[in-house]
Structures are given as structure tokens and as C-alpha cells.
Amino acid sequence: MVKADEERTKAATIFDVARLAGVSHQTVSRVLNDLPNVRQATRERVERAIRQLRYVPSPAARALVTRRSRTIGLITTGPSEFGSSTTALFFNEAAREDRYAVIMASLLKVDGATLRQAAETLVRQNVEAIVLITSNRSTLGLLQSMDLGVPFMAVVSQGSELHRVSLDQYAGARRAVRHLIELGHTEIRHIAGPAESMDALERVRGWRDALGESGLVAAEPIIGDWTAASGYAAGRQLAGDRFTAVFCGNDQMALGLIHALTEAGLSVPADVSVVGFDDIPEAAHFSPPLTTMHQDFAQLGRDAMNVVLAVLSDDQAPNPLSRVPELVERASTAPPR
Amino acid sequence: MVKADEERTKAATIFDVARLAGVSHQTVSRVLNDLPNVRQATRERVERAIRQLRYVPSPAARALVTRRSRTIGLITTGPSEFGSSTTALFFNEAAREDRYAVIMASLLKVDGATLRQAAETLVRQNVEAIVLITSNRSTLGLLQSMDLGVPFMAVVSQGSELHRVSLDQYAGARRAVRHLIELGHTEIRHIAGPAESMDALERVRGWRDALGESGLVAAEPIIGDWTAASGYAAGRQLAGDRFTAVFCGNDQMALGLIHALTEAGLSVPADVSVVGFDDIPEAAHFSPPLTTMHQDFAQLGRDAMNVVLAVLSDDQAPNPLSRVPELVERASTAPPR
DNA sequence: AGCCGACTTGTGACCGATCACATCCGTGCG
DNA sequence: CGCACGGATGTGATCGGTCACAAGTCGGCT
């Protein structure tokens, strides 16, 4: 650990700038905040002084008086997954571009107490908004009912009365299943994510509706937990059954499923077609390369920041944004034999 | 977006508490900061008032006068990967347990200007320390040379004169290669991460040394970029060559490699043994399940927070912590035929 | 010339904590 | 009985900005 430079001259304040520029501190403040009614010459003199002293205003002082912090609180839940962490990454990038700082509260496990504590910490830090990235239904419910006193938005696939951005899980799932139906499959099983997950529920719904529209019956879905291990377990459970295709709640479970199927002597896609969800970067190199639904998590993160900005500036609630995932056909699907 | 409750009564200040408790604001401050010389009865009266008013001190006001914020800046670079984001997640968890907030600056691409801007933003927010999670050599160099005026530590695998935590990439790589050697392999290739990556360099060094110690020659490594796609490309390039084993810089590249090898008609592990690095959760379900080096990223994140605390409290530089990854044998390695 | 109004600039209070120092009080001792 | 002393408590300044308002400057118009 490198120690701080003890001899560092104390950072310049607005008064230092004012003295150097030969004006009052208020005039400096005006220049800082781009207020009108400052003569061009004065403005330039002040700006020169600012540069010369390498002056940067203190966020603490500013936050104290304005009660705004140019800071946003970001809550995420669950282990580090490709989707949520990519969304968070791009949210952070977008926020930085708009000169907002992001205070992060990643909760591995969510319970009421921790969540409340995390949210309150954020509020105390004067965050101007709180953004939640989760697929967990109860987390959303808890946070919504908390009345934080701060604008709140969520990156989630359900919930109409709150402002949010999302990727359309329902439409994506329907598209995936339609693909299998178009190939001629009729016995299409589903490995779902956990029941608390709103995304999982939406995908189940899309799967069921797509089957229903084609007059096909939906067998009970198998519940996994998003991990490859749970997909593998599901595959072993499924191996004896009669089916020709599986729609998986995500790519990891598809990977585990394929593993189990292969072990059971079934070939993908010759015996069983498999479709995943997310299009994680590895999916193209599974064996076989996985057909899956591509989701644009980067754009989702940017969307989230845009909604925050919109609400923060003019109180206008922009229309809930929902992008539809796209089918990426690779080698794990084929017509049934 | 849920609007904030406009009618919310303004948050209580230290003066409100003082009035209710019938003491001066200074006494409240003493109670707040657990200072001695407060009579027990008084202390209890103040604490009751605090609870009654749901008073929480303002971090902005406190930061303004103390110049400390109970906030830590976290810089990460590159796209969202399992290792770095898991480390960041657990760092965040540990920080929260110690009642520190984390301001996050995730930079997708690093250039001097963005990095400097990000770091300065953090410093202006009065962070008490800056933690860097990266494997990028120049990022570390840039940040080290910046003299931020704030304690700085890095989660990196190189650098002796700075304080840091890490997983021992060199030892891990040697262990992986020794495993292949023990199986009887003599033609062991390496697919390395990008040259700017310190982790990649350490792994190359470990691979080279392990070979050298056994009197084996190291062919030129192939350079990838950590992605499965680059592993695939490396595999196609390699397919004609003479070799019986490949040590891959990470699991994703191993996946891509196996894909290319399989396409080329080679079987893993019958024709080629493959070892990965990281033990991402999916690795157990690759086909074949991947032998790889397990890294404890969760512990790494917690270690990082512990070092921060140690340096923040007593200026003692704890010994650089470096944990050794563990070999996980699965089905992608076997003796050469 | 005198006055008005628009534009520019300055002054002092304030946000909500901590810090340095002053004051008060009870007790023990000479 | 008076005084010194140490623990408990209070007072006012301070951190570095913004806000509300006062004041100064200048040109144009009657």
C-alpha cells in the first residue's frame, strides 16, 4: 500500500480561486455552475485561475448545501453472473459519462434486514436515485415497499406500476420455443430458473404460451437454479423421458443438460435439440455450439442510466423500455429424426 | 420510477437530537462517536432521542469537516469476467460488513485520460483508499505513478514495492504444467492471455519454468485474449502441429480450444490433454469436463478489504498475501497414448 | 442632467457535522 | 473551609460550497 503524500499542499478552495482571479467567491461559483450574467472577460479570468490552481469543487461541501450528490446507488443481488454484471458495468460507464458517481451495494444473499440496511446506507449517502438490478421478485417487492424518499427504478422484467427497463423475457422465450416448433418438435421440455426469479417466470410463461398456440401440451417444467450443475441434474432426471427438444432457462443450464444427455448416450442435436438463453460469450464454443437467445445487456445498462437521467431532470416517466432478445441459431438444434 | 415522498419531514439534525435530549449538540456528537467523558445517564438519554427521531448523521457534513468519508473507491478494468467480478462482489460485501461504502469505477477500456479522470473523481469524493482490480500492467503503472494522495492498493499478481493481494499465478501455472508432465506429456503447448496482462505473464513464466525444470523445451506460446473465440482461433492454428497437451491461460480459451480440436478430428483427452485456469462454474460441465486450476476469488475480495482496513488503521503494511490455486482434476487430461 | 432598469458583482447567512477551547461542577485534600 | 483538579458539558469557529439579497456600473431615454 502506497502511503499518501503527507506534504501535499491542501487542495485549493473556491476562495483561493477567487483571490487569484480578483473576484468574489460567488462569482467563482457562478462560473462553476455556468450561470449567466458573468462578463466574458471575468469568466475567462476565473477559468484561468481554476486551471492554475488545479481547483476542483468539493462534493462534500456541495452536497451539504444542495442536498444533491451527483451520486446514484446501485443494488445488485446474487452471485456474479454474466448478465447482471455486464448490465452493471455499462450502467457504471454511462453514469460516469454523465458525471455521476455510483455507490455499489452488491448483496450475495438477500434478506430483509441486509437489504434495508444497504438501502439506508445509500440514502444516507445522499444518492439521488436508487437502481436495482435483480431478477428476484421478493427483493423488488421489499425495496418498493420501503419508500426510500429517493427516486427508485428497477432493471426487471415484471412490474407495471413502477419505472423500469428490461429485456422482454416473455417474447424471447416464445421466439425460442417457436424456433423448435418450426423445426417440427412437438415434445418440448423446459428447464426453468428458480421460482423467485421473475425472469424465470416470464420464460416459463413464454414457453407455455408458445406451446399452447400450437396446440402442444406443456409437461411440468424442471426447476433449476441457473447453474450448470442444476442443468446437469435436470438432464439426468430427464434422460429416460420421451421428448425431442429442451428449452433451457439459460445457457449454463443448457451446458449442464447437454453434459448429462451426452453421458446418457443421447446426441445433441441428433436425438435432442437444445436452446439456451442469454448468449453468453462461451455459448458459441459449447459442443455443440449452442442455439440461444441473444440479450443486449450492455444496452440495458445504458438504458437504465437514461431512464434515471430522464426522471431526475423533468419528472417525466419515459415509456417502459423493453428490448426483445434475438435468436442466434447455432448447432444445438435440428429437426427431430 | 417511484417518486420520492414530497411531504417527508426533513431529516433530523444533531441539533434536533440535542434539543430533545436537553443537552448541547456537542454532547450528542460525543455519544455519536463513542467518546469518553459522558455520564451514563446522559448517554442513554441521547441515545433514546436518536432512536426516537430516527436520526442518522449526515455523511456530507461529516466528510466536509473530517475529510474522511468511510468510503472506498474501487476501480476495475475490462469486460465483466467471472474472476474480477466475483472478487469485486466479495470485496463489496466485506466493505459493507465493515460499514464502508464503495464507489465503483468500472472502466471497459482503459486509457490514461479516462483512468486519471476516474481516479480524480474518486479522490474528490474523499474516498479513504483506492483499490484496483485489474490484470493490466499499464493500468497499474499509470495509477501507481499518479500519486493520488490516498492510500492505494491493488489486487494484482505482480509488483513488489506496492501493497497488494493476489492469487499466485506463477505457482498455479507450474502446478498445472507439472500435472501434465507427471502424466507423461513432453510436448506441452501454451495458449497465453494478452501480453499486457500480468496474470498472463506469470502463467507463461510458470509454464516455462515447469517445462525447464523437467528438461523440456517450450515452444512459442500462442497469444489469445481470454475469450473462447481466441482459444478457438488458437486451436485451429495449432491443429496441424505436433503436441499432446495444452495448458490454457483460462477456462474460456480452453473451451474454444477444445471446440477447434474436436472439429479437427482430435479427441480430448485421448489425443490431446487440456488444462484450463480459473475453474469457472461451467468448467465441470464442458465436454469433456475440464481439468483446471481452482482460484478462490471470493477470498481474494475479502483479503483485499482486510488489507485496506489494516493500512487504514495502523499504517502497518501486512505481508503481501498470495494464495495458491488448487488443481482440480477432471476428464480433460490423461496420459499420452 | 437625471433617472431607470438591466447586467454584473459582492456580502453574509446557511447546510450539519467536528474541533478547540471555555466553563461548570463535585470531590478530595491541605 | 477553601482551593485545586479532573470529569462532564457547553460555546463558537470551521469545513467549502450555494443561496438570497444588496449594491454597484453603465447605457439609454426623457
Side-chain angles (χ1 to χ4, degrees):
Chain A
M1 178 99 63
V2 175
K3 284 306 297 176
D5 182 353
E6 307 291 344
E7 299 307 320
R8 163 176 305 272
T9 48
K10 259 178 55 179
T13 75
I14 201 171
F15 292 93
D16 301 326
V17 175
R19 193 174 332 116
L20 180 59
V23 298
S24 74
H25 67 279
Q26 174 61 1
T27 298
V28 177
S29 176
R30 290 196 180 94
V31 172
L32 247 38
N33 297 307
D34 262 333
L35 295 178
N37 299 343
V38 177
R39 210 184 337 174
Q40 186 57 23
T42 314
R43 184 180 297 272
E44 277 162 15
R45 205 142 33 86
V46 170
E47 278 166 351
R48 207 171 314 127
I50 288 177
R51 273 195 303 277
Q52 194 170 329
L53 294 175
R54 293 240 189 79
Y55 166 76
V56 189
S58 148
R62 190 173 265 173
L64 182 57
V65 50
T66 60
R67 287 128 189 291
R68 352 187 48 251
S69 56
R70 235 185 154 72
T71 285
I72 293 168
L74 177 64
I75 301 180
T76 67
T77 68
S80 161
E81 283 162 19
F82 176 71
S84 57
S85 47
T86 301
T87 306
L89 169 62
F90 281 85
F91 177 79
N92 196 173
E93 285 260 346
R96 185 149 30 78
E97 272 166 31
D98 294 312
R99 304 198 354 269
Y100 273 84
V102 175
I103 300 188
M104 178 188 172
S106 318
L107 311 181
L108 184 56
K109 300 198 163 165
V110 215
D111 61 279
T114 343
L115 187 60
R116 157 152 255 125
Q117 191 218 327
E120 276 171 1
T121 306
L122 294 180
V123 171
R124 256 186 252 166
Q125 298 277 346
N126 286 316
V127 297
E128 295 183 25
I130 288 186
V131 174
L132 171 68
I133 299 182
T134 192
S135 79
N136 187 271
R137 182 130 202 52
S138 62
T139 303
L140 175 61
L142 250 62
L143 218 48
Q144 254 187 294
S145 68
M146 249 179 229
D147 183 31
L148 307 150
V150 165
F152 167 66
M153 75 153 293
V155 180
V156 290
S157 55
Q158 289 183 341
S160 50
E161 74 291 357
L162 92 155
H163 293 261
R164 61 185 178 98
V165 295
S166 68
L167 300 169
D168 192 332
Q169 306 298 313
Y170 173 76
R174 277 191 46 179
R175 179 72 192 87
V177 176
R178 272 216 321 276
H179 168 61
L180 291 170
I181 293 173
E182 283 161 8
L183 285 171
H185 292 278
T186 53
E187 311 263 12
I188 303 171
R189 306 292 299 256
H190 179 42
I191 302 179
E196 322 87 70
S197 163
M198 296 179 280
D199 290 348
L201 261 38
E202 288 292 285
R203 291 175 201 173
V204 170
R205 200 162 65 82
W207 163 72
R208 202 174 299 249
D209 283 5
L211 291 184
E213 284 160 17
S214 300
L216 299 173
V217 288
E220 196 59 23
I222 300 183
I223 309 289
D225 65 0
W226 298 134
T227 66
S230 74
Y232 179 76
R236 294 185 65 125
Q237 182 179 337
L238 222 45
D241 284 19
R242 195 168 51 109
F243 63 96
T244 62
V246 183
F247 167 51
C248 291
N250 74 352
D251 291 347
Q252 282 85 351
M253 295 197 295
L255 179 66
L257 171 73
I258 293 171
H259 181 202
L261 258 29
T262 308
E263 273 189 3
L266 292 168
S267 158
V268 177
D271 298 313
V272 178
S273 283
V274 175
V275 179
F277 213 103
D278 283 353
D279 194 23
I280 63 176
E282 290 78 27
H285 298 278
F286 286 2
S287 109
L290 188 68
T291 295
T292 188
M293 299 304 302
H294 180 82
Q295 308 212 76
D296 192 345
F297 295 109
Q299 190 57 51
L300 185 62
R302 286 188 288 257
D303 285 349
M305 185 61 204
N306 286 335
V307 173
V308 169
L309 283 180
V311 178
L312 244 37
S313 61
D314 67 352
D315 284 358
Q316 280 294 341
N319 294 337
L321 220 53
S322 196
R323 297 173 190 271
V324 178
E326 281 178 16
L327 179 70
V328 181
E329 284 193 55
R330 289 199 270 250
S332 66
T333 48
R337 46 165 115 214
Chain B
M1 177 100 62
V2 176
K3 283 305 298 174
D5 182 353
E6 306 289 348
E7 298 307 320
R8 165 174 304 269
T9 48
K10 256 177 58 178
T13 76
I14 201 172
F15 292 92
D16 301 326
V17 176
R19 194 175 330 118
L20 180 59
V23 298
S24 74
H25 68 278
Q26 175 61 2
T27 298
V28 178
S29 174
R30 290 197 180 92
V31 172
L32 246 38
N33 298 307
D34 261 333
L35 295 179
N37 298 346
V38 177
R39 211 184 344 181
Q40 185 57 23
T42 316
R43 185 179 295 271
E44 277 161 15
R45 204 143 34 86
V46 170
E47 279 165 351
R48 205 171 317 125
I50 288 177
R51 274 195 303 277
Q52 194 170 330
L53 295 175
R54 293 239 188 78
Y55 166 75
V56 188
S58 149
R62 187 174 267 174
L64 181 58
V65 49
T66 61
R67 287 132 190 289
R68 5 188 36 255
S69 57
R70 234 185 154 72
T71 285
I72 293 168
L74 177 64
I75 302 180
T76 67
T77 67
S80 162
E81 282 162 19
F82 175 71
S84 57
S85 46
T86 301
T87 306
L89 169 62
F90 281 85
F91 176 79
N92 195 171
E93 285 260 347
R96 184 150 30 79
E97 272 165 31
D98 294 311
R99 305 197 356 269
Y100 273 84
V102 175
I103 300 188
M104 180 189 169
S106 317
L107 311 182
L108 184 57
K109 302 201 162 163
V110 213
D111 61 280
T114 343
L115 187 61
R116 156 153 255 123
Q117 192 219 327
E120 275 170 2
T121 305
L122 293 179
V123 171
R124 288 311 299 183
Q125 297 277 346
N126 287 315
V127 296
E128 294 182 27
I130 288 186
V131 174
L132 172 68
I133 299 181
T134 192
S135 79
N136 188 270
R137 182 131 200 53
S138 62
T139 302
L140 175 61
L142 250 61
L143 218 47
Q144 255 187 294
S145 68
M146 251 179 225
D147 183 32
L148 306 150
V150 165
F152 167 68
M153 73 152 294
V155 180
V156 290
S157 55
Q158 289 183 340
S160 51
E161 74 292 357
L162 93 155
H163 294 263
R164 61 184 177 101
V165 296
S166 68
L167 300 168
D168 192 331
Q169 306 298 313
Y170 173 76
R174 277 191 44 179
R175 179 71 192 89
V177 175
R178 272 216 321 278
H179 169 61
L180 291 170
I181 293 173
E182 283 162 7
L183 285 171
H185 292 277
T186 53
E187 311 263 11
I188 303 172
R189 308 291 302 255
H190 179 42
I191 302 180
E196 321 86 69
S197 162
M198 295 178 282
D199 290 348
L201 260 39
E202 288 294 283
R203 292 175 200 172
V204 169
R205 201 162 64 82
W207 163 72
R208 202 174 300 246
D209 284 5
L211 290 184
E213 284 159 18
S214 300
L216 299 173
V217 289
E220 196 59 23
I222 300 183
I223 309 288
D225 65 1
W226 299 133
T227 65
S230 76
Y232 179 76
R236 293 185 67 124
Q237 182 180 338
L238 222 45
D241 283 19
R242 196 167 52 109
F243 64 96
T244 62
V246 183
F247 167 51
C248 291
N250 73 352
D251 291 347
Q252 282 83 353
M253 294 197 296
L255 179 66
L257 171 73
I258 293 172
H259 181 203
L261 258 29
T262 308
E263 272 189 3
L266 292 167
S267 157
V268 177
D271 298 313
V272 177
S273 283
V274 175
V275 179
F277 213 104
D278 284 353
D279 193 24
I280 63 176
E282 290 79 27
H285 297 279
F286 285 2
S287 113
L290 188 68
T291 296
T292 186
M293 299 304 302
H294 180 82
Q295 307 212 76
D296 192 346
F297 295 111
Q299 190 56 52
L300 186 61
R302 286 187 288 256
D303 285 349
M305 186 61 203
N306 285 336
V307 172
V308 169
L309 283 180
V311 178
L312 243 37
S313 61
D314 67 352
D315 285 358
Q316 279 294 343
N319 294 337
L321 220 51
S322 197
R323 297 172 189 271
V324 178
E326 281 178 17
L327 179 70
V328 181
E329 286 193 57
R330 289 198 271 250
S332 67
T333 48
R337 51 164 115 211

